[in-house]
């Protein structure tokens, strides 16, 4: 015969090992795909840089070869930026599933990103300066603007780190939590 219908709620399932909601897991998957795309594009940039280096080996060494080498270094710097972004996204959004809110996480996330951006921009400024000095001196103003941009970025980054350090002192538990997460990644 028919079993009586229970009007009580079933006991909650024990999901203590997997507490992340479905939507947040979806975002982690999307972040993983983005990180993989950044990594693939970084590898493509490495291949392009290697091709430029190969061209240099097959030509006479001189100003044109030096320019190609510097451009290859610039492309490699862009590859490092792409790989660093892929690593940061993977660590912060996929592995840790961290939501950037604590001052420590914000400082660390932006610092990792700013290092590679400043280095890449500085190398591009070097390439632009080299090209302007040897080909078109009217482009020196553009190269100088890039060097100035590197300086402004470094100064702004320094101010940010200094101000963020004060905020970290107000939240020491966030610093300990971030350090514990670092231990999990090792």
């Amino acid at each position: 015969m028919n079993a009586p219908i229970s009007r009580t709620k079933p006991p909650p399932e024990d999901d203590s090992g997997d507490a992340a909601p479905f939507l947040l897991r979806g975002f982690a998957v999307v972040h993983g795909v983005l990180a993989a795309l950044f990594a693939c594009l970084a590898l493509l940039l490495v291949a392009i840089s290697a091709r430029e280096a190969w061209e240099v080996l097959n030509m006479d060494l001189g100003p044109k070869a030096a320019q190609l080498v510097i451009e290859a270094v610039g492309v490699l710097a862009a590859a490092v930026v792409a790989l660093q972004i892929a690593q940061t996204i993977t660590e912060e959004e996929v592995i840790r599933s961290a939501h950037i809110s604590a001052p420590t996480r914000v400082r660390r996330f932006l610092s990792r990103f700013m290092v590679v951006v400043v280095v890449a921009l500085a190398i591009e400024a070097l390439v632009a300066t080299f090209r302007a000095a040897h080909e078109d001196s009217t482009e020196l103003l553009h190269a100088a603007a890039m060097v100035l941009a590197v300086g402004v970025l470094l100064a702004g980054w320094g101010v940010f780190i200094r101000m963020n350090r004060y905020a970290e002192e107000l939240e020491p538990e966030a610093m300990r939590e971030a350090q514990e997460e670092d231990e999990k990644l090792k």
Side-chain angles (χ1 to χ4, degrees), residues 8 26 42-43 50 59 67 79 82-84 93 99 102 108 110 121 123-124 150-151 157-158 178 180:
T8 61
L43 293 175
M59 65 186 327
Q67 183 176 342
L83 277 177
Q84 189 68 35
E93 300 295 339
H99 305 289
R108 291 171 58 191
L110 285 177
L121 187 58
I123 290 172
E124 284 300 315
V150 169
W157 181 25
E180 287 172 8

Side-chain angles (χ1 to χ4, degrees), residues 100-111 160 164 168:
I100 298 178
S101 59
T104 301
R105 282 201 182 110
V106 171
R107 178 184 53 80
R108 291 171 58 191
F109 182 84
L110 285 177
S111 291
F160 170 77
N164 194 271
E168 284 178 351

Side-chain angles (χ1 to χ4, degrees), residues 42 45-54 56 64-82 116-128 130-131:
L45 287 172
V46 169
I48 291 169
S49 181
R51 192 178 119 238
E52 286 182 350
W54 184 257
V56 169
K64 180 70 175 161
Q67 183 176 342
L68 276 176
V69 168
I70 292 172
E71 287 177 7
V73 169
V75 172
L76 279 178
V80 170
V81 170
V116 290
V117 168
V118 167
V119 169
L121 187 58
I123 290 172
E124 284 300 315
L126 175 66
V127 170
F130 189 79
R131 186 177 296 139

